[in-house]
Amino acid sequence: MTKRLIGLTGGIATGKTTVADYLATAYNLPILDADIYARNAVSSGSSVLAQIAQRYNKEILLPDGNLNRAKLGDIIFNQPEERNWVENVIHPYIRNDFYQEITKSSAPILVLVIPLLFEADLENLVSEIWVVSCSAEQQQERLIQRNNLSSEQAVARINSQLPISEKVARADVILDNSSSLESLLQQVDLVMKSTGEAFRK
């Protein structure tokens, strides 16, 4: 049987983690998270972190040698060319980690949470694409509250990604997170019921 690889994406703060957590708890699906692989790629002592420190000087590091994520965020979310450079360094490691985990897993369904699925050209890793969306106003408000950002910082992070409308246009499944949590999870249930029959036989 072909492995079902769900690529879960969307805009920043649209609700990807909420959907992933629900798929893990309600359906016992393994979750592979690009953000975790990205954090591992820039862990203290890694070659990726050394490249970043060389490019931005030692000030990009915390006293304990770990990456100063806030400082790097201020750089890459305001300078597209720098964001592209950092992503080009990190993304090959993320792709490799996904390949390894997919190959090792015996599960018939895997959920790959990849915020930059389209931006990083990782669509070929998955067999179907789910996009979690909400309104631009909700996205900005949730991001400000979640990350304690200013409006300008939130907008810069949102604008660094493809517009939600473009992601929705390329999705196999669209999950609308502009209403209640209950509504969002009901949509997940409907999708799993309608698309999962072949994988339960």
Side-chain angles (χ1 to χ4, degrees):
M1 184 186 297
T2 302
K3 194 173 290 187
R4 182 178 179 189
L5 303 173
I6 299 171
L8 179 61
T9 191
I12 187 170
T14 57
K16 298 179 296 297
T17 300
T18 300
V19 173
D21 289 346
Y22 184 64
L23 288 170
T25 56
Y27 293 91
N28 199 32
L29 298 183
I31 306 296
L32 308 182
D33 192 335
D35 284 345
I36 292 176
Y37 299 152
R39 285 196 291 272
N40 292 340
V42 297
S43 59
S44 181
S46 70
S47 61
V48 172
L49 185 59
Q51 292 180 68
I52 292 173
Q54 184 176 18
R55 186 171 182 90
Y56 302 118
N57 300 317
K58 298 295 184 183
E59 289 74 29
I60 202 71
L61 301 177
L62 296 169
D64 62 4
N66 285 302
L67 177 65
N68 187 328
R69 298 178 186 280
K71 186 169 287 188
L72 182 63
D74 286 339
I75 294 172
I76 66 175
F77 289 120
N78 291 291
Q79 301 179 59
E81 67 281 1
E82 295 304 315
R83 185 179 73 251
N84 289 337
W85 182 87
V86 170
E87 290 175 353
N88 286 335
V89 172
I90 293 177
H91 286 162
Y93 288 85
I94 295 175
R95 179 185 289 273
N96 183 61
D97 283 346
F98 272 123
Y99 273 132
Q100 290 188 15
E101 292 300 319
I102 291 168
T103 302
K104 285 193 304 185
S105 177
S106 59
I109 307 177
L110 293 173
V111 179
L112 285 65
V113 184
I114 314 179
L116 300 180
L117 178 71
F118 300 113
E119 294 90 339
D121 293 322
L122 296 175
E123 297 103 307
N124 62 349
L125 278 177
V126 303
S127 57
E128 59 193 87
I129 297 172
W130 294 19
V131 170
V132 187
S133 71
C134 65
S135 72
E137 293 77 16
Q138 287 173 316
Q139 185 182 12
Q140 183 175 335
E141 181 181 334
R142 290 169 181 172
L143 183 56
I144 289 170
Q145 292 178 348
R146 188 188 76 183
N147 290 26
N148 194 28
L149 301 175
S150 68
S151 295
E152 293 76 14
Q153 289 174 318
V155 169
R157 282 157 173 73
I158 292 169
N159 289 343
S160 73
Q161 300 182 347
L162 276 180
I164 281 289
S165 58
E166 290 188 34
K167 297 188 177 189
V168 165
R170 297 162 70 175
D172 298 301
V173 171
I174 301 164
L175 299 169
D176 179 8
N177 190 23
S178 60
S179 182
S180 64
L181 174 61
E182 182 183 15
S183 172
L184 176 65
L185 301 185
Q186 285 176 345
Q187 292 173 62
V188 175
D189 289 335
L190 285 172
V191 174
M192 290 302 296
K193 182 176 181 180
S194 63
T195 62
E197 293 302 326
F199 293 87
R200 286 197 289 268
K201 291 178 180 177

